[in-house]
Amino acid sequence: MTFDPHPHPALRLSRRRLLQFGGAGLGALLLPLGAARPAAASTDPYAALRSAWTAYLTGGVTDTSGSVYAPALSGLNAEAAAFLAAINTGSGRTSLWTDLPLGSVSANMSSTFARLKTLALAYVTPGTNYTGSSSLAATVLGGLDFMTGSSGPYRSGVTPYNNWWDWQIGSSQLLEDTAILMYGQLSSTQIAAYCAAIDAFVSDPTKQLIVPSSSTTSTGANRLDECRAVIVRGALGSSSTPISTGVSALSPALPLVMTGDGLYADGSYQQHSGVAYTGTYGSIYFGDVVALVLLLQGSQWAITDPNLANVFTGVADGYAPVVYNGLMLDAVRGRAISRYNQPDASDGFSGALTLLRYAQATTDPAQAAAWKATAKGWLQRNTVFTVGSTTQAIVNLTTGSTVTVSTAGVGGIALAQSVLGDSSVTAAAEPVAHHQFPDMARAVHRRPGWAYSIATCSSEIQRYEVINGENLHGWYTGDGMGYLYLDNDVAQFNDAYWDTVDPYQLPGTTADQGALANSAGQATKPSTTWVGGSVLNGTYGAVGMQLQAYSTNLTAVKSWFCLDDAVVCLGAGITSTSGNHVLTTVENRNTHTTGSATLSVNGTAQSTSPGWSSTVNGVHWASISGVGGYYFLWPAGANNVVFNETSNTGNWTNVNSGAPTTLANDTRPYLSIAFDHGANPSAATYSYVLLPNYTEAQTASYASSPAVSVVANTTTVQAVTDSALGVTMANFWGAGTAGPITVNGPASVSTQTGGGRLTIAVADPTRSAATLQVTVSATGYTSIVSADPSVTVQSSSGGQVKLLVETGGSRGGTHSVTLATTGTALTPATTALLAPAADTYVRDGSYATTNYGTGTTFVVKNVGSSGTGYDRVGLLKFGLTGITPSTVRRAVLWLNGNVEDSGGSQTTVTAYGLANDSWTETGVTWNTAPATTTAYGTGAVSTAYDWVGLDVTVLVQESSDGTAAIGVSQQGAGLAAVFSTKEQAGGKAPVLEVVTG
């Protein structure tokens, strides 16, 4: 079952937009910049929290006379006036607004609270027409009393209906926000009633409601939102218990996750079990954490969990890299791309404000300064969504009437101006870097003047998501779509792109052109595992995916090699029997309402107009003015290249059933380039180079003497070399050789030579191998400059550099080594991968005399003090014949398995010494097993099958009888972890890696 936090489509607003509903705009997610607190706050800790939260909601602004605030004040006045004019105040009312009937649509309840919050903001914000108005205050309080009263729709005793989010997050947060804004006007009876209403639905933030009356465990951003709800409720009601409950419940959301919803070690953020969501749910997660950190700092409830450091690291490594020029990359916004009122520029603006909050919260002055500089750069370059931007807000769902409001709000303007108006803060330029996020199947390549984002899918990551009728045509957004962001075109994806682009021809995708139904394939995952790639020196990267279409039997392998000024795109094995044409879309560029871009093919200008189409053979290169060049890597030129100019008309209701039906159609011109592989292609290929920002002349020059050449483009390996950079990159779909690189299994390998150095970067995107053997043909590299601990240089003689790379447990991450032609000569290493002579496990309690012998799995679990009969310890023995312990440099026990326990999804296991090795696999029991002794390496395991490596170097070094006997247990109470034994087929048996030399 899907548990969605998005309001009912009738509300016409996204989740964040609802919680920001009313004049505060994006500023509603802010804490004060040092606003003074009331005197009571110095002696009453709850008053201090309420004061801080009021400033959080308003921006803490005391003077709004500056012209920069005029749009926000005007919009807040207009909304307040519209809501006051239409509110029902009669004694027999059944709802506060007739366009929001209560009792069957839960979103109407949240929307009602949102309007009351808007009125409260008009009351407390300086400079509005309603500041301090007693009649408005009475109206707001009367509305709250109606909603939570003895017969109100949001009170104890009401059975939830529709969307759980409205009951636990939307209404609770909006109610408590409104009450805190109006706190000085509330009676103790009112405060108690409002708190009781919140308690009825969200007293325990670890529980996520399943309407009407059951629950599941809350995760990720949803957990943080619920924690926020109970903590602020505690401040409202001057009660420590809810605050402590919220802080306690927040802690489980702070550790890095290995599966499911949450923040990953590589900076990825997932929600809904496999959707890349850094830009929306991740934004909520990061925003809630910093809001609560700042709210509670200095109080008795301050968040001190050491795992909080993970979130701050995630901001730098995962959040900032997916914002470019102040735009939140659409590849990580999920179904939010289909929201007419929440473009990338809006989420990017919010991201800049969140970054400024982290600058306030960090204790590292250098990091704070860097985040301020980054945020200022984003705010300056985001010319789509600025402090002066306005939009139309719907104030009556029945009539569709609107008013003009500020998109930033008073608070958003205040925080943005804190850096925009500060000459001591120098705006940071966009960094040049290559980022890969294997745990959400995304990559971002950043170069001067442009960025390129790639969205893929796998057995772990969904193709795309549809919930509440949002993102109905997201069919191919996860099938290798490439998003080209240009400094001179910040509006590309926010200028009516998603309601007008041809969803069958998204840039970078290879897609069947047969018609699809709305939502076809949503929430599905292919069975393929090869997705990801390798990162070279943090600057370049190889990216690949096995394409397995949902709609037909279309399959292919696709690679992107991200270089200095180019992205090389290869496709191979393109095969389908659907009978439909299959197209690989090179480009499909929104040229905006002007449609002024011009197209040139092989140096000949094309006379394009809407409806124009041309299929050309022998294409060497093409150019779109203001966008870039396209070089086709065929000696004789590419054939069946289709060029189109289209004028596409669409409506947001086509892609989002919750969009207002009153929205007018949008029309945008597009220039597209595509390979037509024909109907029923068999082993078709493509190869081309994207040259962002290249002029026609630059593209012609590049085509006449290209630095890039294709080394291989098959279903075994795809590889390129760039002679100018000294870079060779290869994505191996299996064992093989490409140019100078040989591997013994699926891998992505990138190399670069220059300045007497050789860097080799290796990854296993399939996560299937504990170790990889990599050989690179290269001469003269005799010393190691730097090496990850996971890389062993076996030798560098005979014209070959041989590596053993520990890829197990690294979740598709990159492992690197740099060698040089000068320096201290490296010492060759010998590696051995040993199979166990025996492996089994023992169990206590009533199973203490049971032998588990030659089973295909062994189990590890420590139940702590909770009883007997469930403790299990793994036992393994390895023969060390031919290995001299004193020469051992490194030894790692590799186990393949997962967590299988109802108690959770992640645990750790530890390798131990054993008191003796006299036990036998078929005879040992708990009662006869040797005791565990010294603890050695520890590793993490999750519910996803993977390798875990346990460092047993010292254990092997101290083995004196030719046998390494190892126990596997847990240092404290843990979850059951199940591992393959040597009897398990499929190459997942335990391995002892021993490095000597």
Side-chain angles (χ1 to χ4, degrees):
M1 181 177 181
T2 299
F3 305 98
D4 173 50
H6 185 72
H8 190 276
L11 188 60
R12 318 298 192 203
L13 293 171
S14 73
R15 166 190 181 139
R16 187 185 304 135
R17 290 298 180 275
L18 176 64
L19 293 182
Q20 295 166 348
F21 199 100
L26 288 169
L29 296 182
L30 305 177
L31 284 166
L33 292 169
R37 293 181 174 182
S42 62
T43 57
D44 180 352
Y46 303 105
L49 296 184
R50 290 191 295 271
S51 174
W53 200 251
T54 297
Y56 178 100
L57 299 172
T58 64
V61 179
T62 58
D63 182 2
T64 58
S65 60
S67 60
V68 70
Y69 293 109
L73 295 177
S74 175
L76 186 52
N77 284 332
E79 284 189 293
F83 296 150
L84 286 172
I87 193 168
N88 299 321
T89 58
S91 59
R93 57 186 173 176
T94 58
S95 66
L96 295 183
W97 284 275
T98 56
D99 65 322
L100 297 175
L102 301 172
S104 60
V105 178
S106 61
N108 288 350
M109 181 172 60
S110 295
S111 186
T112 296
F113 280 120
R115 291 182 180 182
L116 291 172
K117 178 179 172 181
T118 298
L119 296 176
L121 284 165
Y123 175 80
V124 299
T125 301
T128 76
N129 296 340
Y130 304 95
T131 305
S133 166
S134 58
S135 63
L136 184 142
T139 299
V140 173
L141 269 56
L144 292 181
D145 292 344
F146 167 78
M147 294 295 289
T148 60
S150 59
S151 58
Y154 192 71
R155 57 177 172 80
S156 178
V158 173
T159 300
Y161 51 87
N162 266 176
N163 197 326
W164 72 271
W165 183 89
D166 292 300
W167 299 93
Q168 291 193 287
I169 296 175
S171 293
S172 66
Q173 289 191 9
L174 291 161
L175 166 57
E176 66 195 13
D177 287 353
T178 306
I180 282 183
L181 289 170
M182 304 299 299
Y183 190 82
Q185 309 301 314
L186 301 181
S187 68
S188 59
T189 300
Q190 288 172 315
I191 293 171
Y194 304 158
C195 289
I198 296 169
D199 292 344
F201 303 106
V202 64
S203 60
D204 181 357
T206 69
K207 302 297 184 183
Q208 183 170 305
L209 175 67
I210 300 177
V211 174
S213 57
S214 59
S215 66
T216 186
T217 301
S218 61
T219 60
N222 294 333
R223 169 66 66 89
L224 267 297
D225 264 349
E226 291 195 43
C227 289
R228 174 185 156 179
V230 297
I231 289 170
V232 177
R233 174 261 179 266
L236 172 63
S238 299
S239 175
S240 178
T241 299
I243 301 175
S244 299
T245 297
V247 172
S248 177
L250 182 147
S251 284
L254 300 180
L256 299 172
V257 302
M258 298 174 68
T259 186
D261 297 347
L263 180 64
Y264 287 73
D266 68 352
S268 297
Y269 188 91
Q270 286 188 36
Q271 195 80 27
H272 292 174
S273 300
V275 183
Y277 255 135
T278 312
T280 44
Y281 287 91
S283 288
I284 295 166
Y285 174 89
F286 288 116
D288 279 352
V289 168
V290 74
L292 295 175
V293 166
L294 290 171
L295 173 66
L296 299 173
Q297 65 182 7
S299 76
Q300 67 194 70
W301 306 281
I303 300 170
T304 58
D305 191 315
N307 284 311
L308 188 62
N310 295 329
V311 183
F312 281 76
T313 299
V315 170
D317 295 347
Y319 195 59
V322 296
V323 178
Y324 184 77
N325 283 339
L327 308 177
M328 183 65 70
L329 302 185
D330 275 352
V332 296
R333 297 202 314 122
R335 69 186 192 278
I337 61 174
S338 71
R339 296 171 185 163
Y340 79 98
N341 59 353
Q342 190 181 340
D344 56 3
S346 166
D347 282 343
F349 187 92
S350 179
L353 302 186
T354 295
L355 204 62
L356 290 175
R357 281 297 144 212
Y358 276 94
Q360 289 184 330
T362 183
T363 57
D364 181 349
Q367 182 64 81
W371 279 339
K372 286 181 181 180
T374 296
K376 185 171 184 176
W378 289 351
L379 291 167
Q380 288 181 341
R381 294 188 295 273
N382 181 356
T383 56
V384 176
F385 195 109
T386 70
V387 293
S389 296
T390 60
T391 190
Q392 294 300 304
I394 296 174
V395 293
N396 188 298
L397 295 180
T398 301
T399 65
S401 58
T402 64
V403 296
T404 301
V405 300
S406 165
T407 51
V410 170
I413 293 169
L415 188 57
Q417 286 297 113
S418 73
V419 289
L420 290 175
D422 186 348
S423 60
S424 70
V425 177
T426 301
E430 289 294 341
V432 172
H434 182 89
H435 300 275
Q436 293 202 21
F437 302 99
D439 280 315
M440 61 179 182
R442 297 294 187 266
V444 182
H445 190 55
R446 295 167 162 269
R447 306 302 301 166
W450 59 276
Y452 191 70
S453 177
I454 304 167
T456 57
C457 59
S458 70
S459 59
E460 298 295 326
I461 301 299
Q462 295 180 25
R463 293 179 169 94
Y464 76 110
E465 177 186 69
V466 175
I467 294 180
N468 286 345
E470 295 185 308
N471 201 25
L472 298 172
H473 294 171
W475 306 309
Y476 297 122
T477 50
D479 279 4
M481 183 175 178
Y483 302 77
L484 177 59
Y485 292 83
L486 302 175
D487 285 6
N488 64 356
D489 185 14
V490 294
Q492 177 60 206
F493 299 105
N494 55 61
D495 177 26
Y497 183 87
W498 291 105
D499 66 324
T500 62
V501 71
D502 183 345
Y504 297 93
Q505 295 188 39
L506 301 178
T509 63
T510 299
D512 186 292
Q513 297 301 292
L516 293 174
N518 287 346
S519 307
Q522 80 87 16
T524 63
K525 302 173 184 177
S527 62
T528 53
T529 58
W530 207 120
V531 63
S534 51
V535 180
L536 184 63
N537 294 323
T539 304
Y540 309 125
V543 182
M545 73 175 295
Q546 293 170 309
L547 175 66
Q548 182 187 82
Y550 166 79
S551 58
T552 68
N553 63 352
L554 171 64
T555 56
V557 291
K558 296 167 67 71
S559 289
W560 298 260
F561 300 104
C562 303
L563 300 168
D564 192 24
D565 57 356
V567 178
V568 184
C569 307
L570 302 183
I574 302 169
T575 301
S576 173
T577 61
S578 71
N580 302 316
H581 277 246
V582 173
L583 266 61
T584 293
T585 302
V586 176
E587 184 61 275
N588 197 2
R589 200 72 183 173
N590 177 3
T591 58
H592 309 294
T593 53
T594 59
S596 58
T598 58
L599 171 68
S600 175
V601 179
N602 291 340
T604 301
Q606 306 298 302
S607 299
T608 67
S609 60
W612 172 87
S613 179
S614 179
T615 300
V616 185
N617 292 327
V619 180
H620 291 281
W621 62 273
S623 173
I624 299 178
S625 63
V627 179
Y630 310 85
Y631 171 62
F632 297 87
L633 288 157
W634 270 281
N639 294 328
N640 296 318
V641 182
V642 182
F643 298 88
N644 285 307
E645 179 175 338
T646 58
S647 180
N648 298 351
T649 297
N651 192 287
W652 286 103
T653 58
N654 297 334
V655 295
N656 188 327
S657 62
T661 57
T662 55
L663 291 177
N665 288 343
D666 292 313
T667 298
R668 296 293 184 274
Y670 285 80
L671 276 176
S672 66
I673 306 171
F675 290 94
D676 187 349
H677 304 294
N680 301 324
S682 177
T685 63
Y686 65 80
S687 57
Y688 62 94
V689 183
L690 294 178
L691 300 166
N693 284 332
Y694 266 45
T695 64
E696 181 178 350
Q698 289 173 321
T699 306
S701 176
Y702 184 95
S704 68
S705 181
V708 170
S709 60
V710 176
V711 176
N713 188 19
T714 71
T715 54
T716 299
V717 58
Q718 293 175 307
V720 301
T721 185
D722 186 319
S723 58
L725 297 176
V727 169
T728 298
M729 295 177 165
N731 286 334
F732 292 90
W733 310 103
T737 298
I741 306 170
T742 299
V743 296
N744 70 336
S748 178
V749 183
S750 298
T751 69
Q752 184 172 29
T753 59
R757 292 190 173 188
L758 165 66
T759 297
I760 305 170
V762 181
D764 174 15
T766 68
R767 311 185 185 192
S768 61
T771 61
L772 280 172
Q773 184 73 52
V774 180
T775 301
V776 177
S777 296
T779 302
Y781 298 97
T782 57
S783 68
I784 299 175
V785 177
S786 62
D788 290 337
S790 53
V791 180
T792 296
V793 181
Q794 297 168 305
S795 65
S796 63
S797 59
Q800 292 185 327
V801 176
K802 294 184 177 180
L803 310 176
L804 184 73
V805 184
E806 299 169 357
T807 55
S810 60
R811 308 180 64 81
T814 296
H815 310 259
S816 300
V817 60
T818 297
L819 299 98
T821 55
T822 59
T824 304
L826 63 86
T827 302
T830 300
T831 58
L833 301 176
L834 307 176
D839 54 7
T840 187
Y841 73 102
V842 294
R843 183 172 178 174
D844 73 341
S846 60
Y847 304 91
T849 60
T850 301
N851 171 259
Y852 292 93
T854 57
T856 58
T857 61
F858 72 88
V859 186
V860 173
K861 183 170 185 177
N862 180 348
V863 299
S865 59
S866 60
T868 61
Y870 296 97
D871 279 330
R872 282 152 281 189
V873 177
L875 306 173
L876 302 95
K877 283 196 291 189
F878 296 85
L880 301 177
T881 302
I883 294 174
T884 304
S886 62
T887 66
V888 173
R889 295 187 195 174
R890 181 172 176 81
V892 179
L893 172 64
W894 291 102
L895 303 174
N896 189 275
N898 71 324
V899 169
E900 297 184 12
D901 196 308
S902 61
S905 61
Q906 294 178 205
T907 195
T908 59
V909 296
T910 300
Y912 289 84
L914 293 176
N916 64 68
D917 57 19
S918 60
W919 54 273
T920 64
E921 184 177 88
T922 56
V924 69
T925 67
W926 181 273
N927 287 343
T928 63
T932 56
T933 57
T934 304
Y936 296 99
T938 296
V941 190
S942 75
T943 51
Y945 285 94
D946 202 352
W947 292 94
V948 58
L950 307 178
D951 190 325
V952 290
T953 303
V954 175
L955 184 153
V956 175
Q957 289 172 340
E958 294 178 349
S959 297
S960 58
D961 63 352
T963 298
I966 307 172
V968 182
S969 186
Q970 295 167 329
Q971 297 192 46
L975 306 175
V978 181
F979 299 103
S980 298
T981 67
K982 60 185 174 59
E983 286 78 17
Q984 181 77 264
K988 305 301 183 184
V991 175
L992 180 62
E993 169 200 347
V994 181
V995 180
T996 58

